[in-house]
Amino acid sequence: MNKSQENLLKRFLTYLTVEKSSSLLTVNNYERDINCFAEFLTERFNGDFQWKQVGSLDIRAYLSFLNKEEYAFNSS
């Protein structure tokens, strides 16, 4: 992720912590999942992407990827 995307992620994680009073485990899980999704998008868009260009087909492709990788959809 570029600096702008990292800043958005940091702001979102702060929101979860401060406004939503989410547990540290929840915040860490969100951070991990978003970073994995961002890695997938980086490959899908051949290098760099912007969050605003991500659409439902990209999300479906990611879910399909997770399914093929037998990703556990429940939280641990």
Side-chain angles (χ1 to χ4, degrees):
M1 282 190 285
N2 63 37
K3 288 281 190 193
S4 175
Q5 292 165 336
E6 289 174 10
N7 186 37
L8 285 173
L9 176 57
K10 188 179 284 187
R11 288 175 52 202
F12 176 66
L13 297 175
T14 299
Y15 163 77
L16 289 176
T17 303
V18 175
E19 299 292 327
K20 300 295 277 183
S21 300
S22 298
S23 72
L24 181 59
L25 179 62
T26 297
V27 173
N28 288 340
N29 286 338
Y30 268 100
E31 182 175 20
R32 184 196 65 231
D33 291 345
I34 292 169
N35 282 324
C36 288
F37 186 41
E39 285 179 34
F40 173 83
L41 292 172
T42 298
E43 289 182 29
R44 185 168 171 85
F45 286 97
N46 296 317
D48 197 22
F49 72 94
Q50 298 296 317
W51 287 112
K52 62 184 171 187
Q53 75 188 103
V54 177
S56 60
L57 293 178
D58 301 307
I59 296 168
R60 287 178 151 201
Y62 183 62
L63 293 175
S64 176
F65 166 78
L66 292 177
N67 188 43
K68 288 177 188 171
E69 296 293 317
E70 299 179 13
Y71 180 79
F73 286 98
N74 58 357
S75 63
S76 26

